[in-house]
Amino acid sequence: MTYFGAIADDLTGATDLAGLMARAGVAVSLRIGVPEDLPEHGSAIEVIALKSRTEPVQSALAETKAALRWLQAAGTQRYFWKYCSTFDSTAEGNIGPVAEMLMAEIGADQTIYCPAFPENGRSVFMGNLFVGQQPLSESPMQHHPLTPMTDSNLMRLLEPQVTRKVGLLDRLQVAQGPEVVTEGLAALEAQGVAHVIVDAVANNDLYSIAEACRHMPLLTGGSALAMALPHLYMGDGSLETSDTRRQFPATCARGVVLSGSCSAMTNRQVAEYLAQGRPCYKVDPLELAQNGPSEILDWLSRQDLDQMPLVYATARPDSVKAAQELLGVAEAGAMVEQVLATCATVARDLGARRIVVAGGETSGAVTKALGADQLDVGPEIAPGVPWCFCKSDGHQMALTLKSGNFGAAGFFSDAIKKLDSQ
Ligand code: ADP
C-alpha cells in the first residue's frame, strides 16, 4: 500500500527526489509517465515523473490530475508536488496552478513552497532564492532558454500564478525549530494565507520544516525537503520499517555511457572520462544529419562493453549554437536524442546491462526507447542521482539518469564504482 506519493514536473527531477528519499532505505518506485494500469503493488513511496514543466497550463493540470488519480487509487495519504530547486517556470507557469488544483482535489487549505536544496547550493532567505552565492536572477538561470528566471523573489514569482493569498515564513522563525514553524503556519492561515513560501538555508532548516509539516496533506518543493520525510514517517509508524529495506539486483558489468547534456558540468565529466583513456565516440550533429547513425552504431558494435564506452554529443556552447543555427534548435536536439536512444537499445541487444545517461531530455528519450516505465530506486552516486533498476526487453538493467548540472567531475567513473561496490 502506498503511503507517500510525489508528482514531479520532469524526469531527472523525479529521480533526484526518489534518490534522496531512498537514502532512508525505504522502497521507492519511480514511474515514468502515469501508468496505464491501475496500481496493483504500489510501493510505500511512489514517484511519478511527468514532463509538464514548460507545457501549457491546461495540459500540465490534466497530466497532474491523472497522476493524482493513480496515486489516490494506490492508497496514497501524503502528497508532494516536486518542481525544480531553481523554481523554473514561465510567467504563466505551472507551479502555482498545479498546486492550487492539487489542494482543491486533496482538500488542503494551506501548503508550503520550499525549493531549497542546500547540498546543491540552493537556498531561500527572506523569500529570495539563491544559487550558490548569487540571487537566482543573477545566476546562469537568467539565461535559461525555456524558463529564464529574471526575478529571485518567490512571492513575486508565485503571486501571479495563484488565486489565493501568498505569504512568507522566514528564516528567523524556521531557525527556532518545528514548534515555531507550526505556530507561524497557523498564524498565516488565520490571515487567509494559503500559499506559504518557507525559507531554508541549511539541512537543519529542512528537518524542522519537515517535522512541522509532515502531516500536511500536500507539500510542495524541491527534493531536499522530501529527503527528510521518510525517517519521520518511519518514526511515527506511518511507514513500515521492517519490510521496506531492499536488496538490489546484481547486473553484469557490461554497459555504456550516453551523454546528450551540454551543461558546463557534463562537459567537465566527459573531459575527465576521456582523460582516463576510455573508448569514446563524439557525435557531430552536422555529420549525423548528413550521413545518418550507421557509423556511430558500427563503432558501438565493435566496442568491448566491459570498458563502458562513451557516446557523447556533449559540446561547448559555441559548437552547440553552430549546430542549432544550421539544423534548428529542436531538430538538432531531437536528432541527437534519437541517436543516443538507439545506442541504448543497440547496446542492450549487444549485452549491455548498465547504462549511464547524462541529460534530462536525453534520459527521457533513452528510457522511452528501452521501454522502461517503472524503475526501482537504488544506491545514490551523487546527491540526487541514484542508480535505478528496471527490466528492458526481459533483461535486468541498471540505469542512472543525470540531469545536466548534477554530479562531480568524476561522475561517470563514480557511477561504475558505485555498482561494483554493491
Ligand atoms: P540537460 O539536462 O543538461 O539540460 P538535456 O538532455 O535535457 O540536458 O538537453 C540537452 C539537449 O541538447 C538535448 O535535446 C540534446 O539532444 C541536445 N544536444 C546535445 N548535444 C548537442 C549538440 N552537440 N548540438 C546541438 N544539440 C545538442
Side-chain angles (χ1 to χ4, degrees):
M1 185 71 130
T2 301
Y3 179 72
F4 182 90
I7 303 170
D9 67 355
D10 85 338
L11 175 54
T12 45
T15 52
D16 166 18
L17 171 115
L20 293 186
M21 294 196 85
R23 274 186 188 177
V26 188
V28 180
S29 167
L30 172 63
R31 316 269 173 174
I32 302 178
V34 183
E36 279 173 16
D37 300 330
L38 283 174
E40 265 180 52
H41 305 290
S43 282
I45 296 179
E46 289 281 351
V47 181
I48 298 183
L50 301 179
K51 202 174 181 308
S52 59
R53 182 168 299 166
T54 53
E55 273 184 16
V57 175
Q58 288 310 322
S59 40
L61 287 173
E63 259 190 63
T64 315
K65 200 181 269 189
L68 173 69
R69 294 283 177 260
W70 191 90
L71 290 171
Q72 284 173 323
T76 304
Q77 294 178 46
R78 299 283 174 265
Y79 294 88
F80 197 97
W81 164 227
K82 154 78 174 73
Y83 37 81
C84 191
S85 61
T86 43
F87 212 74
D88 300 14
S89 65
T90 57
E92 310 71 47
N94 295 329
I95 294 178
V98 165
E100 262 186 347
M101 180 277 289
L102 290 171
M103 287 170 80
E105 292 287 330
I106 296 166
D109 287 330
Q110 191 184 53
T111 192
I112 61 164
Y113 296 76
C114 188
F117 191 165
E119 268 182 84
N120 277 354
R122 279 34 162 185
S123 52
V124 184
F125 184 66
M126 298 299 159
N128 293 287
L129 182 51
F130 290 82
V131 177
Q133 296 184 342
Q134 292 174 311
L136 177 66
S137 60
E138 291 169 32
S139 78
M141 282 303 296
Q142 66 183 305
H143 302 301
H144 192 282
L146 301 176
T147 52
M149 301 306 289
T150 53
D151 192 345
S152 309
N153 187 284
L154 296 180
M155 275 97 73
R156 277 199 302 264
L157 287 166
L158 186 61
E159 252 155 15
Q161 297 187 14
V162 290
T163 58
R164 295 174 65 195
K165 214 164 151 185
V166 175
L168 172 68
L169 192 76
D170 73 27
R171 175 90 206 300
L172 301 179
Q173 293 162 287
V174 173
Q176 294 180 60
E179 293 80 19
V180 177
V181 172
T182 305
E183 287 162 20
L185 288 172
L188 287 166
E189 192 163 14
Q191 295 162 32
V193 175
H195 306 282
V196 186
I197 309 289
V198 185
D199 277 356
V201 300
N203 275 346
N204 272 348
D205 298 334
L206 293 173
Y207 297 138
S208 294
I209 298 163
E211 195 173 334
C213 300
R214 67 188 189 273
H215 290 308
M216 285 174 101
L218 173 71
L219 298 174
T220 91
S223 51
L225 174 63
M227 172 179 69
L229 294 168
H231 282 297
L232 292 166
Y233 293 142
M234 287 194 274
D236 66 18
S238 307
L239 272 184
E240 296 267 334
T241 41
S242 51
D243 60 358
T244 49
R245 284 182 186 273
R246 279 195 180 180
Q247 286 289 317
F248 298 110
T251 48
C252 93
R254 295 157 63 77
V256 284
V257 182
L258 304 171
S259 180
S261 159
C262 296
S263 71
M265 183 45 91
T266 309
N267 270 285
R268 281 181 61 194
Q269 291 161 341
V270 166
E272 176 121 344
Y273 204 65
L274 289 174
Q276 290 176 12
R278 300 261 187 180
C280 300
Y281 188 102
K282 182 174 171 58
V283 175
D284 176 344
L286 299 176
E287 257 175 49
L288 177 62
Q290 246 173 12
N291 305 328
S294 56
E295 192 187 311
I296 304 165
L297 301 176
D298 284 352
W299 178 87
L300 186 58
S301 65
R302 294 194 303 273
Q303 299 312 302
D304 173 3
L305 296 178
D306 286 315
Q307 295 294 314
M308 294 286 291
L310 163 70
V311 180
Y312 68 104
T314 305
R316 305 264 170 207
D318 49 347
S319 51
V320 173
K321 210 164 164 229
Q324 288 175 334
E325 270 164 16
L326 282 163
L327 302 170
V329 176
E331 290 76 4
M335 202 176 57
V336 168
E337 285 166 33
Q338 184 55 48
V339 79
L340 293 176
T342 307
C343 286
T345 53
V346 166
R348 177 201 61 200
D349 296 343
L350 291 166
R353 297 293 175 260
R354 297 175 174 186
I355 303 188
V356 177
V357 190
E361 294 299 322
T362 311
S363 294
V366 167
T367 48
K368 192 166 176 199
L370 291 173
D373 54 11
Q374 193 273 324
L375 310 176
D376 289 325
V377 179
E380 217 179 359
I381 305 156
V385 200
W387 272 108
C388 298
F389 301 94
C390 65
K391 287 270 169 66
S392 173
D393 200 26
H395 302 291
Q396 179 65 56
M397 308 274 297
L399 273 184
T400 182
L401 311 171
K402 183 194 85 76
S403 86
N405 283 314
F406 279 35
F411 177 80
F412 298 147
S413 18
D414 293 347
I416 299 165
K417 279 187 222 135
K418 188 80 202 180
L419 269 195
D420 287 343
S421 66
Q422 284 300 299

